[in-house]
Amino acid sequence: MKPRAWAAAGVALALLLPTGCSGDRTDGRTTGRVTLRFQSLAWQDESVAANKELVKEWNAAHPDIRVEYVQGSWDSVHDQLLTSFEGGEAPDIIHDASDDLADFAYGGYLADLRELLPERLAADIPARSWETTTFGEGVYGVPFLQEPRVLIADKKLLDASGVRIPTPGEPWSWEEFRGIAKELTARLGEGKYAVAWPFKDPVSATLNLGLSTGGQLFRRDADGRVRIEFRDADAIVPDTVHDQVNVDRSASRTALGGGGSDALPGFFGGKYAMVPLGFSYRQQIVQQAPEDFEWTVLPAPAGGEGLAQGVSPQTLSVAEDSPYKKEAVAFIDFLLQPRNMVRLAKGDWMLPTGTQALADPALHTPENGWATGAALAEHLRSAPAQSVRGYPEWKDKVATPALQEYYSGGIDRAELEQRLVDDGNLVLARYQRQ
C-alpha cells in the first residue's frame, strides 16, 4: 500500500511520537552488555571515516551498549539483506535507501519505529521526508541523507556562450533548457554537445525529474491498487531527452549507455558543457578534474510544479528480529544528532534531511555548489515509485530497456507508452493479487 502522506507536520508528529518510549521493552529485559550490529553502506573514504568515528564515539560513551561496524555494499544490499532476514542473521541497524524498503516493510522484516522514535528526531525531519519511509500505517526507517539531481556545468563554456545562467530562484524551464542546449551545441562546434545524459540506469532519474512537470506515472485507486498511466505530464522529461539526442543533436548519443562517472572524462575534456548528475558526484569532480577546470552547479530545469523533484533518501532501519530495538534507536538518534548529521552529509557530499543540520553554514557556502543544493532541499519529495510493490521488477524488465530504446531513437513515443503501461501493469498485477 502507498504511504499515507501526512498532511501537515503536526499530523506527522502525532503519528511518530513515542507513546511508550520510556516503558518496558517489548522484547523483555536483558542483562549484561548489549552488542548491536550496524551495517553501513558508506563507501567514499570520507563517509566511511565519519561513520567509523561516530561508532567509536558512541562506544566510548556507552560501554554497556557496544556497536559493531559492519561494512555492506550498495551493489548487493537487497539480496544480501533478504538472505540475512530469512536466515535470522540480519544486522540490528540497517543502512539502506527508502526505495528498497517496501518489500522488507510489508514482509515484516523491519520494525515499526513510531513508538520508538524520540521526539527530537521525529520533529527535526520534515513530514515530506518521513513519507518516504512510511508504508501502510508504519514507519520503517529514518531518512537522513538526500540527493537532488543537478546540472554540473563547465563554467567557462557557459560564461562564453552568453546564455542566461539559471539559479534556484530563476531556473530554466524544460523548454528553455532544450532551446539553450541547441544554441550552445551550435556554438561549441563539431563533435561537442551541450548535454551528456549518462543514462545506463535511466528510470529513477526520469521519474524523479518528472515530478517538476506534474508527472507521476503510478496512480493509486481508492482500493489502494496501483496502475500505470502515461499522461502528457509524464512525457515532458523523456521527450526532452529523446529530442535532444535524436532531433536537436544537442545531447550525446554515446553518453546514454554509461553512468555518471563515464561521462566525466568527456566533460573535463570539453566534449560536454553540462552533465545532469546526482549532487554527490561533486566529490569525484573535485578529485578528478584538471587543476584549471572551472565548474559550477546549476539547478535542474523546472516545470509546472517548479523545482519539485523526487528523491529516495538513505535510511536507517531496525530489524524486526532485533532483541534490542530501543538500544538500536538510541544509537540512530545519536548518529543523527544535528552536528553528526552534518558530518555524515559532508562525508557523502549529500544533503541532510534534518532541518537543524541543513541550516548549518557549512552547507550553504558557494564553494563546490553546496548553496545551490541546499536551496533545492525544500523542493524534494518522495519518489513516485517509493511504495509500489513490484517496482524493482518493472524497472529492470520493462522500464529500463524501454527508456533506453526510446532515448537512443530505437522506438517511438507510442511504443514507449505501450511498453511502460501495458507490460508494466502486467508486472504490478502479480504483486497486487489479493
Side-chain angles (χ1 to χ4, degrees):
M1 294 175 65
K2 181 181 179 181
R4 294 191 177 180
W6 297 317
V11 177
L13 196 55
L15 285 171
L16 287 165
L17 290 183
T19 60
C21 200
S22 60
D24 292 338
R25 285 203 299 270
T26 57
D27 47 79
R29 177 58 55 189
T30 59
T31 58
R33 189 181 195 180
V34 169
T35 298
L36 300 170
R37 294 173 64 234
F38 165 42
Q39 178 168 295
S40 170
L41 301 181
W43 64 276
Q44 300 189 87
D45 290 343
E46 293 175 62
S47 181
V48 172
N51 277 271
K52 288 185 174 180
E53 287 168 6
L54 287 167
V55 168
K56 185 176 180 180
E57 291 171 18
W58 166 273
N59 287 337
H62 302 82
D64 293 331
I65 307 174
R66 179 173 179 78
V67 172
E68 174 187 333
Y69 183 93
V70 179
Q71 186 63 61
S73 169
W74 286 108
D75 293 336
S76 58
V77 65
H78 184 87
D79 291 341
Q80 177 263 319
L81 283 175
L82 185 59
T83 299
S84 67
F85 283 135
E86 293 180 344
E89 298 179 349
D92 300 275
I93 302 151
I94 298 162
H95 181 190
D96 203 350
S98 59
D99 61 355
D100 192 41
L101 299 185
D103 288 340
F104 296 144
Y106 287 119
Y109 295 122
L110 300 177
D112 183 353
L113 302 178
R114 286 177 299 166
E115 295 188 358
L116 296 167
L117 290 169
E119 180 176 351
R120 180 209 66 80
L121 186 57
D124 187 48
I125 296 175
R128 63 177 179 271
S129 294
W130 285 117
E131 290 173 12
T132 67
T133 57
T134 304
F135 302 92
E137 297 288 347
V139 175
Y140 296 94
V142 181
F144 72 105
L145 292 179
Q146 54 191 346
E147 181 176 26
R149 296 192 73 87
V150 294
L151 299 175
I152 308 290
D154 184 320
K155 190 174 186 304
K156 290 181 180 178
L157 288 180
L158 253 64
D159 288 346
S161 72
V163 302
R164 183 180 78 80
I165 306 300
T167 66
E170 295 185 74
W172 288 329
S173 67
W174 284 98
E175 184 179 5
E176 186 180 10
F177 172 54
R178 181 181 171 187
I180 284 173
K182 188 174 181 180
E183 175 186 343
L184 186 54
T185 299
R187 295 187 181 191
L188 290 175
E190 189 175 352
K192 297 183 178 181
Y193 302 89
V195 188
W197 289 96
F199 266 2
K200 180 181 180 180
D201 297 306
V203 181
S204 62
T206 301
L207 294 179
N208 289 342
L209 289 172
L211 284 189
S212 70
T213 66
Q216 283 289 339
L217 200 64
F218 298 96
R219 322 287 169 179
R220 193 172 293 272
D221 295 330
D223 63 0
R225 295 175 67 85
V226 177
R227 70 186 188 285
I228 300 170
E229 291 183 6
F230 192 82
R231 301 177 182 175
D232 289 343
D234 298 301
I236 293 174
V237 171
D239 282 358
T240 299
V241 177
H242 171 274
D243 291 349
Q244 285 182 331
V245 173
N246 299 283
V247 179
D248 304 337
R249 304 291 194 269
S250 61
S252 167
R253 184 183 304 276
T254 56
L256 290 171
S261 298
D262 299 319
L264 293 183
F267 179 55
F268 298 148
K271 184 175 181 179
Y272 316 127
M274 295 178 284
V275 186
L277 292 169
F279 196 52
S280 64
Y281 272 92
R282 296 169 304 128
Q283 186 195 40
Q284 288 189 46
I285 293 170
V286 167
Q287 293 175 339
Q288 299 173 16
E291 238 179 82
D292 61 345
F293 185 77
E294 295 183 33
W295 56 282
T296 188
V297 177
L298 310 176
E305 299 297 319
L307 288 167
Q309 190 177 138
V311 290
S312 297
Q314 292 188 24
T315 58
L316 294 171
S317 301
V318 177
E320 175 61 27
D321 286 346
S322 173
Y324 309 119
K325 294 182 179 66
K326 284 192 175 181
E327 292 86 347
V329 170
F331 173 70
I332 291 174
D333 183 43
F334 163 79
L335 206 63
L336 303 185
Q337 293 288 323
R339 64 184 181 278
N340 295 339
M341 198 183 283
V342 171
R343 291 164 66 180
L344 294 172
K346 292 180 70 177
D348 256 324
W349 289 67
M350 297 174 71
L351 299 176
T353 58
T355 53
Q356 293 184 64
L358 190 60
D360 191 290
L363 304 182
H364 291 263
T365 174
E367 185 179 7
N368 296 328
W370 278 107
T372 297
L376 299 177
E378 65 179 294
H379 304 284
L380 303 181
R381 302 290 183 267
S382 178
Q386 197 72 57
S387 64
V388 177
R389 301 200 70 176
Y391 168 73
E393 181 179 342
W394 173 81
K395 174 185 174 183
D396 293 343
K397 295 183 179 179
V398 177
T400 294
L403 284 170
Q404 286 175 336
E405 289 182 53
Y406 181 59
Y407 289 151
S408 65
I411 60 174
D412 61 15
R413 163 101 88 77
E415 185 167 347
L416 172 69
E417 179 175 351
Q418 183 272 321
R419 287 167 63 173
L420 292 179
V421 176
D422 295 349
D423 296 350
N425 280 325
L426 289 175
V427 171
L428 297 192
R430 294 204 311 274
Y431 289 82
Q432 300 183 95
R433 289 173 182 155
Q434 300 297 326

